[in-house]
Amino acid sequence: MKRPGKKETVMFRRHNPRWLVVGLLVLSYGLALTSAIQKSPTMDEQNHIARGAAYLGTGDPRLSVEHPPLVNVLSALPAHLLLDLRLPLDTVWWEAGEWYHFADLFLWEVNSNAEQIVFLARLPIIGLGLMLAALVFRWASARFGPWSGLLATVFCVLDPNVLAHERLSTTDVGGTFFVFLAAYVLWRAIRRPSPPRILVAGLALGLAFAAKLSALLFGPILALAVLLDGVAGGPGRARRLSGRVALVLVVTLLGLLVVWATYCFQVGPLEEGGPPVPAPPYVRGIRAVLNFAANGRPGYLLGQIRTGGWWYYFPVAFAVKTPLATLIALLPATWLALRRLQRDDLFLLLPPVAYFLVSMTSSLNIGYRHLLPILPFLAVHISRLATPSSRFPLPASCFLLPAPRIACYLSVVLVVALAFSTLSIYPHFLAYFNPIGGGPENGWRILVDSNIDWGQDLKGLRAWMERKGIERVRLSWFGSARPEAYGIVYDLLPGVPHGFSLWESPPFNRQQPEPGIYVISVTNLVGVIFPDHDIFAWFRVRLPDDRIGYSLFVYRVSAQ
């Protein structure tokens, strides 16, 4: 196959796509903001917001255990500055550092403006999502050119999984951004070493560690990439490798210092009477996460419920929740990369592959969101399709087109397919499943929890009740928000966390439920959290009469 001519190469360089990228960022902002307004707080949001608000209000990080404070503080900052927030500091929950009950009181009782607090807390996460997309463009442009940067941005901003979590006040998108930032600045520091760049790399790595505990996995992964890059650099390997080892140590120490700084250089014992350690809440969090990862919690996959998890949980989740356009694009992109691997590919391919493999060993199988950190790497990887030198194994004569145009047209088709699949699920991005997973209507048969049902559709339930003229429902929902805050009149059924104790003596006939309108979230429907998984078995084998946002099923039970 002949090389692309000068005219074909110029075709890729004729226009600067930066303004198109700006348009994509505006589109992403609009989709995230307008869908966020339509969704009620998810299961974990109140906990993250309360942690950040408590730290900002007191300077005490006692609640920042399972999650470091950085993203929580950024999220709570607008509400802290603009609203007169009250903290339930005179409670046993604050004294004990028990974040769940503290958060419940903070959002729904001591403050009367939960809607405002949640809205303001979501805005910084949307901002981090936009910064992630901009960084994806920058890295892809540096590697493959500006048109590749545009393609990478499309696969980032139009990914429904990114959009789903970009508009929630959690640490998932924040952790993803800071991990990707750490990888990018470390790559730049390796290519053109200088003290300022090494200092920035250490700062970025520390911010990643302070954003989400799972980011710690990327520490050794990025260190391995740095060392392998040194080995692959040609003559002088021994000297270069020793320099890389020193660089890794310096960057790691700087990163840990940044983490310690986010806890205000706190020193204290892990347990009463124990030896003092730096940032004790952070160390306790690492211990808790390792315990969770080893022992797991009840998970659901393909109709099965298990506490120990499945090694294939994340492969299945990736296969059914990643847009089909992305899965298809990965095939030719990987073929192009494998034809001639370069040193720079270590920083693009090793982090997502290694992280994915490590994830397969975890017993904590509760959501695709734990795979979010690999998505920006994959977007940049896919962007190589837009380079003028892209070549495929099929001869160009098969298409009567030169090779660069084949790559160009393939990219356009995939972008259109991605845009269609994402816009068609709006505003229910959290419930996205591709055709392999049977779409959002059937996704609950494969995965539940944060994959489809995180308590986000209480507003949708209220709108449905108003539209149908229904005054009262029998409700089982999976979420920490309070339905009464949205004007929903209901009778409580077994749910999580509200109504969990009702599973022992359900307030309905399990063999033949009493007449009424039953609204059951799909996570509760499959019974994954309940000790008795078949509480709602009577409903599970029946088609719902209506669906609300794909997470709530409605059953009209008539008198027999």
Side-chain angles (χ1 to χ4, degrees):
M1 187 185 303
K2 71 174 186 177
R3 292 184 174 276
K6 183 177 181 180
K7 182 184 295 186
E8 294 163 351
T9 302
V10 169
M11 174 184 69
F12 284 82
R13 299 178 179 174
R14 185 176 301 162
H15 303 291
N16 191 320
R18 291 181 184 274
W19 289 110
L20 293 176
V21 172
V22 172
L24 283 172
L25 295 180
V26 172
L27 174 63
S28 175
Y29 174 77
L31 291 174
L33 183 67
T34 56
S35 62
I37 293 172
Q38 301 177 57
K39 295 297 178 179
S40 54
T42 54
M43 175 71 82
D44 292 354
E45 280 187 277
Q46 68 179 31
N47 306 325
H48 290 292
I49 298 170
R51 289 189 190 102
Y55 197 0
L56 287 170
T58 67
D60 189 332
R62 71 177 67 187
L63 301 182
S64 300
V65 176
E66 288 191 5
H67 295 271
L70 176 61
V71 177
N72 291 164
V73 166
L74 292 175
S75 182
L77 188 59
H80 175 76
L81 295 176
L82 299 176
L83 303 177
D84 182 20
L85 296 181
R86 298 179 180 179
L87 298 169
L89 301 178
D90 57 346
T91 63
V92 295
W93 311 120
W94 172 252
E95 291 300 322
E98 205 287 315
W99 46 265
Y100 176 81
H101 289 92
F102 179 90
D104 188 62
L105 291 174
F106 165 77
L107 193 60
W108 303 108
E109 293 191 20
V110 301
N111 291 288
S112 59
N113 50 350
E115 193 77 5
Q116 281 184 295
I117 294 172
V118 173
F119 172 76
L120 290 173
R122 287 172 170 176
L123 293 180
I125 308 303
I126 295 176
L128 289 174
L130 297 178
M131 291 169 65
L132 173 66
L135 186 59
V136 163
F137 171 76
R138 185 175 181 85
W139 196 344
S141 298
R143 278 295 317 273
F144 306 114
W147 286 103
S148 292
L150 175 64
L151 183 62
T153 308
V154 170
F155 274 89
C156 180
V157 302
L158 290 183
D159 189 299
N161 299 291
V162 174
L163 282 167
H165 295 279
E166 180 181 343
R167 58 9 176 344
L168 301 179
S169 180
T170 63
T171 58
D172 296 303
V173 165
T176 297
F177 167 70
F178 285 112
V179 162
F180 192 65
L181 176 66
Y184 171 71
V185 297
L186 189 58
W187 169 66
R188 292 182 74 241
I190 291 300
R191 289 295 165 261
R192 295 179 61 186
S194 68
R197 290 194 173 196
I198 293 173
L199 180 63
V200 171
L203 173 63
L205 186 65
L207 293 176
F209 290 166
K212 195 171 178 66
L213 286 176
S214 59
L216 288 169
L217 291 174
F218 283 91
I221 291 173
L222 293 176
L224 180 61
V226 170
L227 298 178
L228 290 177
D229 180 83
V231 171
R237 291 175 181 171
R239 180 174 56 84
R240 189 169 52 251
L241 189 58
S242 63
R244 296 296 173 82
V245 171
L247 184 145
V248 166
L249 291 175
V250 170
V251 169
T252 302
L253 288 174
L254 288 173
L256 294 177
L257 186 62
V258 170
V259 172
W260 194 15
T262 62
Y263 287 87
C264 297
F265 299 103
Q266 185 185 56
V267 176
L270 292 178
E271 309 291 349
E272 187 175 350
V277 298
Y282 192 79
V283 180
R284 290 192 202 104
I286 295 174
R287 188 172 60 184
V289 167
L290 290 175
N291 182 57
F292 268 124
N295 300 319
R297 50 171 279 190
Y300 175 87
L301 178 66
L302 296 169
Q304 296 181 332
I305 297 173
R306 187 185 300 174
T307 298
W310 301 262
W311 68 265
Y312 51 88
Y313 178 92
F314 286 109
V316 171
F318 187 78
V320 300
K321 281 190 67 69
T322 303
L324 202 56
T326 302
L327 294 177
I328 293 172
L330 285 173
L331 298 177
T334 302
W335 185 86
L336 289 171
L338 293 178
R339 287 186 67 218
R340 191 175 63 181
L341 282 173
Q342 300 179 9
R343 290 170 58 196
D344 288 334
D345 287 322
L346 276 170
F347 291 88
L348 273 184
L349 301 181
L350 181 61
V353 171
Y355 180 79
F356 189 86
L357 293 176
V358 172
S359 298
M360 291 169 59
T361 67
S362 173
S363 297
L364 191 62
N365 295 164
I366 57 175
Y368 182 98
R369 61 193 175 93
H370 290 160
L371 293 180
L372 285 183
I374 75 174
L375 297 185
F377 292 97
L378 297 184
V380 177
H381 172 54
I382 287 171
S383 74
R384 68 182 75 232
L385 295 177
T387 59
S389 59
S390 299
R391 295 179 171 278
F392 297 95
L394 294 175
S397 58
C398 291
F399 301 92
L400 301 178
L401 290 169
R405 292 194 177 183
I406 295 173
C408 177
Y409 293 153
L410 174 62
S411 300
V412 170
V413 170
L414 292 174
V415 165
V416 171
L418 177 63
F420 177 79
S421 65
T422 299
L423 296 177
S424 64
I425 193 68
Y426 173 89
H428 311 298
F429 298 121
L430 198 67
Y432 176 81
F433 281 80
N434 63 30
I436 298 174
E441 298 85 358
N442 298 295
W444 69 278
R445 302 180 186 277
I446 304 173
L447 299 166
V448 290
D449 206 303
S450 61
N451 298 293
I452 187 171
D453 169 29
W454 220 7
Q456 74 273 17
D457 283 317
L458 286 182
K459 288 186 179 181
L461 174 58
R462 180 190 62 189
W464 178 86
M465 292 175 67
E466 292 174 350
R467 190 169 60 250
K468 299 291 185 179
I470 295 171
E471 297 181 356
R472 194 179 195 93
V473 296
R474 309 190 76 178
L475 178 62
S476 168
W477 85 103
F478 180 77
S480 56
R482 298 187 178 183
E484 54 268 25
Y486 297 94
I488 297 171
V489 181
Y490 66 101
D491 296 314
L492 185 62
L493 296 177
V496 179
H498 303 287
F500 181 75
S501 61
L502 294 178
W503 74 270
E504 296 176 325
S505 181
F508 68 97
N509 188 328
R510 293 175 55 174
Q511 280 66 48
Q512 181 55 59
E514 295 78 8
I517 298 176
Y518 292 73
V519 180
I520 306 172
S521 73
V522 294
T523 302
N524 294 343
L525 186 68
V526 302
V528 59
I529 300 297
F530 300 116
D532 181 354
H533 305 314
D534 292 324
I535 288 180
F536 294 112
W538 189 91
F539 298 93
R540 195 165 61 227
V541 298
R542 288 165 171 77
L543 289 175
D545 296 292
D546 213 339
R547 301 171 191 252
I548 301 169
Y550 303 106
S551 75
L552 295 174
F553 284 5
V554 179
Y555 299 89
R556 297 176 181 267
V557 179
S558 304
Q560 296 297 312

